[in-house]
Amino acid sequence: MSGVGERFQGRGSQATATQVGMRILTTEGVQGLYRGMLCCALRDFFGGAVFFGTYSYSKKHIESQFVNDSIAPPLICGALAGVIGWAACYPFDILKTRLQCDMISATPKYHKHAWIPDGGIISCARSIYSESGLIGFMRGMSACAIKASIASSACFLAYEKSRVHLFNTNQSF
């Protein structure tokens, strides 16, 4: 239900999250709370697969280059996984955000396909492509890549250190 959050941010300080949620319910019904959900699922599916696959593959190939207890492999591989993972799924995130913010205006810009129950994905993708070309699906990726590299490095370093501590010692909790 990130749709309320997306639309709340899009409205600025004009309304509270509750007001935005109520407006969605009254204009679109419960279905409106799930606008962009298919794009969100695709983003998470592809992004997660590429994210963890990249980490696993790169760690397997880079680990032998460092000493046994080095923190470099999880940091390097985590940063790489974060950037590549987000690059793979970022177009879905752009579509999701645009679809969720679409109802801020009085009239929706993106309409459902006549034969395919897509929630406006095809209309939204066509609009982005006609406005900006393929680069429109990656707008904002540079800031996302910086955030993803830092967050993923920290995440995988914490994961690796926790895994070693929890499973390679004889301590009881």
Side-chain angles (χ1 to χ4, degrees), residues 47-59 73-89 141 145 148-149 152-153 156:
V50 172
F51 178 70
F52 289 109
T54 301
Y55 180 76
S56 178
Y57 181 82
S58 60
K59 184 177 170 241
L75 290 176
I76 294 167
C77 298
L80 185 64
V83 172
I84 293 174
W86 266 104
C89 69
M141 180 59 202
S149 64
S152 299
S153 292
F156 279 115

Side-chain angles (χ1 to χ4, degrees), residues 143-156:
C144 182
I146 293 168
K147 175 197 69 139
S149 64
I150 295 167
S152 299
S153 292
C155 177
F156 279 115

Side-chain angles (χ1 to χ4, degrees), residues 56-137:
S56 178
Y57 181 82
S58 60
K59 184 177 170 241
K60 181 177 152 185
H61 287 83
I62 201 173
E63 223 170 16
S64 63
Q65 306 299 317
F66 294 92
V67 294
N68 204 16
D69 247 2
S70 176
I71 64 169
L75 290 176
I76 294 167
C77 298
L80 185 64
V83 172
I84 293 174
W86 266 104
C89 69
Y90 200 73
F92 293 115
D93 194 58
I94 293 289
L95 288 168
K96 173 199 70 80
T97 302
R98 288 245 188 140
L99 286 170
Q100 289 175 340
C101 291
D102 188 34
M103 284 308 291
I104 293 171
S105 63
T107 57
K109 183 177 179 182
Y110 310 115
H111 302 287
K112 297 176 182 175
H113 193 272
W115 302 319
I116 304 168
D118 69 338
I121 296 171
I122 295 170
S123 173
C124 184
R126 283 182 178 162
S127 175
I128 293 169
Y129 185 76
S130 67
E131 290 169 11
S132 310
L134 289 176
I135 198 74
F137 292 98

Side-chain angles (χ1 to χ4, degrees), residues 8-89:
F8 179 67
Q9 290 172 358
R11 288 185 67 93
S13 60
Q14 297 173 349
T16 66
T18 305
Q19 290 170 329
V20 173
M22 291 305 294
R23 180 168 181 259
I24 292 168
L25 284 172
T26 56
T27 58
E28 298 179 65
V30 175
Q31 186 179 14
L33 294 173
Y34 296 95
R35 186 177 261 260
M37 192 63 152
L38 178 60
C39 287
C40 189
L42 290 170
R43 177 198 69 185
D44 291 347
F45 174 77
F46 288 115
V50 172
F51 178 70
F52 289 109
T54 301
Y55 180 76
S56 178
Y57 181 82
S58 60
K59 184 177 170 241
K60 181 177 152 185
H61 287 83
I62 201 173
E63 223 170 16
S64 63
Q65 306 299 317
F66 294 92
V67 294
N68 204 16
D69 247 2
S70 176
I71 64 169
L75 290 176
I76 294 167
C77 298
L80 185 64
V83 172
I84 293 174
W86 266 104
C89 69

